[in-house]
């Protein structure tokens, strides 16, 4: 009976993913984790801020462990979540490695770093210091308040000092002049005190003309733990990226497939006498302080704080439209641009267990404060015209009115409580409520030109029914508010975004303690959306209402000893419901109807130390622009991995885009629908590492 019910639900819901009557589709979510094969996590403590197992948590949360990132040869932010259903990287901001992703149909420029807001436009961070990646699907305002993301949250968790003395040194070389050195050193200074240092240095020529780069990252951390329930951890990061050009890709014109995928479209050195070409430099510093104290066997006090300062200096070129006149397209050049963001946050919370009227409660209660300021000190503005098919064409460089300095400031005062009640041993009910006070300011040329205040309440309700030992059904409803702190030059403030989601799903152990799957449905509505001003890619306006509905399926774990797999599929339909400039019914950009991935590795028992892996990442056709005018073609990319470990030495070969497929990435969160990023061609990367200690 049980197997019949599950089989019917799985086949029925999956079938909806291929149905064409998409307007009637409810929605779905994904992910189940439990037990503990190497590619599976049973909790996401840094993201949920509780020790509730994922099988008992009424939401879609997926964890990508560090070991999976290593196997896949990840060196760039855009690669982090390619194995997660319904999540896709978007074009970044001129090649600066910023964290732009599309989650459940919505572009997100805000993520989380160790549970705090990570404003994504300017903050370059190397992946070397990432221990794992947690993905929380859907709005989580009841927990995080005004983070600014409604489709979901990608939380990159930093490596922490551990007990013991160990280290790893790695060298990588690859296509397009890649040379990368990494260091991970951990030392226990005494029984209670440990330190850790992660660092990386990288350089490369880029896969497009005149787009070389140099970067370095240093991340020292220290932890004190008395092993009686009290600990204090300090995490710091210093990152630098310098790149030739400000590579926004190719213009998003209807005949994009006929354009050169290697040509740099923008202002280049030497084209105009005495005028320097595009460039970009990013510097990011961050510090996070984490304190935890056990008040009793059941209750803990946690206090934490984070500070991040990010700065980008650049000259950047963008096309003025997506329509060329013949072969000619006008560009604007924003010269000597100095953009920066500064953010800090503090948090205090209590978490613990109690029994009321015979029912077990797991409670989280806290208060926090967050501040974000970001903007530009202004820039010179010039216009030029490029011939899309003739790199030798030179037009005039005409000065325009400069862009004035502008800034957005946002404050968020929050208080929240969450309670998961065990109604029975198999039924758990979660309630959460958060109240926020948002205070936003718009500043132009040093003067405050707009100020707004808003009080918002964000609730969440969730239910988990563990029908059988290996099966959990879940459902949840949530509403979130995300303050609009625009990164553009508007002189007004905006009301907060509002997102509301309903989801239901199943978390299923397909093979006991080894292989786990999740099937889920979601329906997510969003309004008060801050988007790019169609007349100026550096300004923003408040648009209308959008809806995303879909199905997501994830399978993770071990099939047989030594054979691990991560499989994901998503069916997503994201539409415009109301807008002042985009037709109702248009599909949101860079959102494929069908997408999926499969990553698998096998360790050969007959040859100890030998591991092979392969991955396929597929994405259907997507709309390129809003309003919809043309589509980006679908694609399937194949990667391979082969590794051999002998004692402390490990050698690994990663091949990316094995069949040299050509595809393009767009997205509205980063380059504002004006540009597309061509795919990286077939490339290889060889890494050698030496690990020592215990």
């Amino acid at each position: 009976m049980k197997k019949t019910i599950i089989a019917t639900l799985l086949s029925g819901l999956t079938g909806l993913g291929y149905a064409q009557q998409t307007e009637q589709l409810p929605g779905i979510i994904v992910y189940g984790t439990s037990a503990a094969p190497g590619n599976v996590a049973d909790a996401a403590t840094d993201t949920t801020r509780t020790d509730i197992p994922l099988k008992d948590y009424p939401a879609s949360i997926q964890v990508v462990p560090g070991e999976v990132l290593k196997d896949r040869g990840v060196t760039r932010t855009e690669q982090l979540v390619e194995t997660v259903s319904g999540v896709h990287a978007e074009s970044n901001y001129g090649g600066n490695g910023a964290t732009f992703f599309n989650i459940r149909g919505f572009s997100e420029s805000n993520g989380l770093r160790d549970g705090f807001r990570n404003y994504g436009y300017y903050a370059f961070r190397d992946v070397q210091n990432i221990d794992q990646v947690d993905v929380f699907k859907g709005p989580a305002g009841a927990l995080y308040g005004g983070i600014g993301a409604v489709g979901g949250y990608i939380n990159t968790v930093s490596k922490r000092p551990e007990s013991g003395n160990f280290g790893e040194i790695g060298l990588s070389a690859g296509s397009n002049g890649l040379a990368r050195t990494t260091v991970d050193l951990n030392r226990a200074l005494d029984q209670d005190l440990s330190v850790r240092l992660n660092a990386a240095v990288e350089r490369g020529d880029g896969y497009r003309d005149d787009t070389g780069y140099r970067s370095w990252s240093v991340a020292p951390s220290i932890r004190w733990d008395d092993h009686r329930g009290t600990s204090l951890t300090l995490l710091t990061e210093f990152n630098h990226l310098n790149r030739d050009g400000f590579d926004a890709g190719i213009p998003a014109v209807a005949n994009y497939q006929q354009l050169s995928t290697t040509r740099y479209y923008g202002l280049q050195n030497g084209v105009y006498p005495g005028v320097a070409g595009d460039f970009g430099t990013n510097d990011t510093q961050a510090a996070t302080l984490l304190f935890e104290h056990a008040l009793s066997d059941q209750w803990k006090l946690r206090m934490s704080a984070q500070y991040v300062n990010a700065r980008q200096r650049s000259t950047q070129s963008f096309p003025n439209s997506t329509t060329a006149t013949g072969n000619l397209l006008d560009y604007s050049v924003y010269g000597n641009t100095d953009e920066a963001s500064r953010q800090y946050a503090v948090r205090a919370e209590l978490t613990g267990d109690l029994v009321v009227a015979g029912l077990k409660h797991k409670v989280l209660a806290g208060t926090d404060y967050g501040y974000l300021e970001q903007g530009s000190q202004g820039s010179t503005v010039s216009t030029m015209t490029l011939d899309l098919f003739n790199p030798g064409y030179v037009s005039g460089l005409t000065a325009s009115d400069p862009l004035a300095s502008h800034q957005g400031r946002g404050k968020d005062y929050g208080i929240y409580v969450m309670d998961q009640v065990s109604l029975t041993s198999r039924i758990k009910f979660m309630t959460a409520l958060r109240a926020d006070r948002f205070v936003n300011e718009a500043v132009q040329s040093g003067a405050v030109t707009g100020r707004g205040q808003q009080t918002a309440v964000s609730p969440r309700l969730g239910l988990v029914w563990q029908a059988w030992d290996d099966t959990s059904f879940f459902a949840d409803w949530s509403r979130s508010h995300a303050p609009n702190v625009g990164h553009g030059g508007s002189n007004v403030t905006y009301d907060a975004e509002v997102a509301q989601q309903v989801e239901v799903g199943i978390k299923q152990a397909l093979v006991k303690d080894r292989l786990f799957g999740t099937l889920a449905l979601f329906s997510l509505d969003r309004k008060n959306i801050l988007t790019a001003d169609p007349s100026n890619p550096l300004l923003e306006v408040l648009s209308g209402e959008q809806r995303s509905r879909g199905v997501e399926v994830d399978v993770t774990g071990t099939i047989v000893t030594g054979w691990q797999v991560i499989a994901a599929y998503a069916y997503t339909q994201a539409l415009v419901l109301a807008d002042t400039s985009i037709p109702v019914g248009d599909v949101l950009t860079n959102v494929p109807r069908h997408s999926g991935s499969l990553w698998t590795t096998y360790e050969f028992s007959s040859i100890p130390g030998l591991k092979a892996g392969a991955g396929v990442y597929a994405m259907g056709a997507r709309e390129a622009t809003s309003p919809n005018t043309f589509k980006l073609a679908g694609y399937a990319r194949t990667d391979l991995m082969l590794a051999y470990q002998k004692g402390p030495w490990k050698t690994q070969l990663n091949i990316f885009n094995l069949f040299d497929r050509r595809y393009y990435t767009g997205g509205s969160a980063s380059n504002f629908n004006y540009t597309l990023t061509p795919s990286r061609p077939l490339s290889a990367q060889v890494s050698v590492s030496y690990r020592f200690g215990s």
Side-chain angles (χ1 to χ4, degrees):
M1 175 69 175
K2 163 191 157 184
K3 291 183 177 178
T4 302
I5 293 174
I6 294 174
T8 302
L9 286 170
L10 288 174
S11 61
L13 291 176
T14 304
L16 285 176
Y18 295 91
Q20 297 303 312
Q21 297 178 356
T22 56
E23 283 71 13
Q24 305 303 316
L25 184 66
I28 295 187
I29 296 186
V30 184
Y31 197 93
T33 43
S34 180
N39 59 351
V40 172
D42 58 6
T45 306
D46 281 272
T47 300
T48 64
R49 307 219 287 273
T50 70
D51 58 1
I52 298 174
L54 292 182
K55 65 183 179 64
D56 293 335
Y57 203 96
S60 294
I61 301 174
Q62 185 162 351
V63 178
V64 184
E67 192 62 34
V68 173
L69 302 179
K70 282 187 176 181
D71 285 347
R72 295 183 52 241
V74 170
T75 60
R76 304 185 308 277
T77 303
E78 66 199 58
Q79 299 172 297
L80 290 174
V81 291
E82 289 182 314
T83 58
V84 180
S85 66
V87 183
H88 315 293
E90 294 200 332
S91 301
N92 58 34
Y93 191 13
N96 68 356
T99 49
F100 293 130
F101 292 97
N102 190 290
I103 309 175
R104 289 194 164 168
F106 294 136
S107 297
E108 307 291 1
S109 59
N110 290 274
L112 301 173
R113 182 66 157 201
D114 298 312
F116 286 94
R117 181 178 192 165
N118 183 36
Y119 184 75
Y121 273 88
Y122 318 126
F124 163 73
R125 299 189 194 229
D126 195 279
V127 300
Q128 168 63 16
N129 194 38
I130 295 175
D131 185 57
Q132 70 179 42
V133 183
D134 300 343
V135 182
F136 193 120
K137 303 285 190 67
L143 189 60
Y144 287 105
I147 295 298
V150 295
Y153 300 80
I154 295 176
N155 184 25
T156 50
V157 181
S158 299
K159 295 178 180 178
R160 314 285 170 85
E162 301 176 14
S163 59
N165 298 316
F166 62 85
E168 183 174 87
I169 299 174
L171 299 173
S172 300
S175 304
N176 305 307
L178 172 68
R180 179 176 172 85
T181 302
T182 59
V183 175
D184 183 356
L185 300 175
N186 190 96
R187 184 167 182 81
L189 301 180
D190 60 31
Q191 179 177 309
D192 299 334
L193 191 64
S194 298
V195 294
R196 191 167 184 175
L197 173 68
N198 272 272
V201 178
E202 183 176 333
R203 62 159 298 158
D205 299 329
Y207 68 104
R208 289 166 43 78
D209 297 339
D210 304 312
T211 56
Y213 64 92
R214 286 79 56 202
S215 70
W216 57 260
S217 175
V218 180
S221 57
I222 184 169
R223 176 179 173 84
W224 174 77
D225 188 341
D226 70 355
H227 303 287
R228 295 188 300 273
T230 302
S231 65
L232 182 66
T233 304
L234 175 63
L235 310 171
T236 64
E237 272 192 71
F238 306 88
N239 296 275
H240 173 80
L241 171 66
N242 184 57
R243 58 201 188 279
D244 304 324
F246 191 91
D247 190 13
I250 68 172
V253 293
N255 59 341
Y256 69 96
Q257 291 179 311
Q258 300 174 22
L259 302 182
S260 169
T261 58
T262 59
R263 175 184 167 187
Y264 181 79
Y265 288 89
L267 179 63
Q268 292 179 293
N269 287 321
V271 174
Y272 300 101
V275 178
D278 292 344
F279 76 96
T281 301
N282 292 77
D283 290 280
T284 304
Q285 304 89 34
T288 305
L289 188 64
L290 307 171
F291 172 76
E292 184 173 292
H293 176 65
L295 300 173
S296 67
D297 291 340
Q298 289 79 34
W299 288 89
K300 291 181 181 179
L301 168 68
R302 291 199 296 252
M303 303 180 71
S304 52
Q306 187 176 85
Y307 173 83
V308 181
N309 185 68
R311 185 181 182 187
Q312 175 172 272
R313 285 148 292 183
S314 66
T315 291
Q316 45 186 279
S317 303
F318 287 100
N320 291 340
S321 73
T322 58
T323 304
T325 303
N327 293 337
L328 302 181
L329 184 64
D330 293 332
Y331 269 67
S332 290
V333 180
Y334 301 89
N336 303 308
T337 302
D338 190 350
E339 300 168 288
S341 63
R342 183 168 65 96
Q343 59 191 79
Y344 53 83
V346 293
R347 177 189 301 145
E349 58 190 16
L350 285 171
T351 180
D353 303 315
L354 55 84
V355 177
V356 177
L359 298 178
K360 295 180 180 179
H361 295 253
K362 188 171 287 291
V363 178
L364 171 72
T367 183
D368 57 22
Y369 169 75
Y371 175 81
L372 167 67
E373 64 178 34
Q374 50 67 43
S376 170
Q377 294 302 310
S379 64
T380 60
V381 181
S382 303
T383 59
M384 64 180 182
T385 303
L386 298 184
D387 188 310
L388 301 182
F389 296 93
N390 179 13
Y393 176 86
V394 179
S395 72
L397 185 66
T398 305
S400 299
D401 293 335
L403 190 67
S405 66
H406 53 270
Q407 190 177 65
R409 300 172 184 165
K411 301 176 183 178
D412 180 4
Y413 304 83
I415 184 169
Y416 54 92
V417 62
M418 184 179 76
D419 182 17
Q420 185 176 67
V421 186
S422 296
L423 300 178
T424 71
S425 61
R426 293 187 178 273
I427 300 177
K428 298 177 174 64
F429 180 63
M430 177 180 285
T431 60
L433 187 66
R434 179 185 173 102
D436 289 280
R437 180 64 172 172
F438 304 133
V439 180
N440 295 333
E441 289 183 339
V443 181
Q444 276 196 329
S445 301
V448 175
T449 57
R451 194 172 193 271
Q453 300 185 50
Q454 183 180 0
T455 298
V457 176
S458 299
R460 184 182 193 95
L461 300 174
L463 182 69
V464 174
W465 172 38
Q466 191 175 2
W468 301 280
D469 290 344
D470 54 2
T471 305
S472 295
F473 295 90
F474 74 96
D476 76 277
W477 169 84
S478 61
R479 186 173 70 235
S480 292
H481 296 78
N484 280 311
V485 184
H487 94 291
S490 177
N491 60 358
V492 298
T493 59
Y494 306 94
D495 289 339
E497 280 191 15
V498 180
Q500 182 167 289
Q501 177 181 265
V502 177
E503 63 179 344
V504 296
I506 309 169
K507 300 180 181 182
Q508 174 70 36
L510 302 172
V511 178
K512 184 175 176 58
D513 297 334
R514 215 168 63 207
L515 188 65
F516 309 90
T518 303
L519 171 67
L521 300 162
F522 72 87
S523 179
L524 173 57
D525 285 1
R526 180 188 187 194
K527 62 182 180 180
N528 285 357
I529 304 163
L530 196 63
T531 58
D533 186 335
S535 64
N536 188 331
L538 293 185
L539 304 183
E540 293 177 313
V541 295
L542 203 63
S543 69
E545 193 171 345
Q546 300 170 354
R547 171 174 294 163
S548 179
R549 291 176 169 178
V551 179
E552 297 170 348
V553 180
D554 289 79
V555 176
T556 305
T558 300
I559 297 177
V560 297
T561 301
W563 184 10
Q564 294 189 335
V565 65
I566 303 175
Y569 166 76
Y571 175 92
T572 311
Q573 186 183 35
L575 303 173
V576 175
L577 298 184
D579 200 278
T580 57
S581 59
I582 303 173
V584 172
D586 265 20
V587 176
L588 302 187
T589 61
N590 205 41
V591 182
R593 186 75 60 89
H594 300 279
S595 63
S597 65
L598 173 65
W599 173 256
T600 182
T601 59
Y602 184 77
E603 298 183 54
F604 294 84
S605 58
S606 58
I607 310 177
L610 182 64
K611 178 191 284 189
V616 178
Y617 311 91
M619 190 175 295
R622 296 140 290 146
E623 293 293 342
T625 63
S626 294
N628 297 163
T629 54
F630 64 93
K631 292 185 177 182
L632 305 180
Y635 68 90
R637 191 192 84 228
T638 304
D639 294 350
L640 295 179
M641 181 275 282
L642 186 66
Y644 180 70
Q645 183 161 353
K646 182 71 172 179
W649 291 95
K650 180 180 180 181
T651 302
Q652 180 170 315
L653 169 67
N654 287 90
I655 298 176
F656 306 102
N657 199 2
L658 176 66
F659 300 109
D660 202 22
R661 299 300 190 205
R662 179 181 292 189
Y663 57 91
Y664 301 81
T665 302
S668 60
S670 53
N671 290 323
F672 320 108
N673 286 322
Y674 291 89
T675 58
L676 305 171
T677 300
S679 58
R680 293 176 180 269
L682 167 66
S683 59
Q685 176 181 303
V686 177
S687 302
V688 178
S689 62
Y690 178 79
R691 186 172 180 85
F692 52 90
S694 57

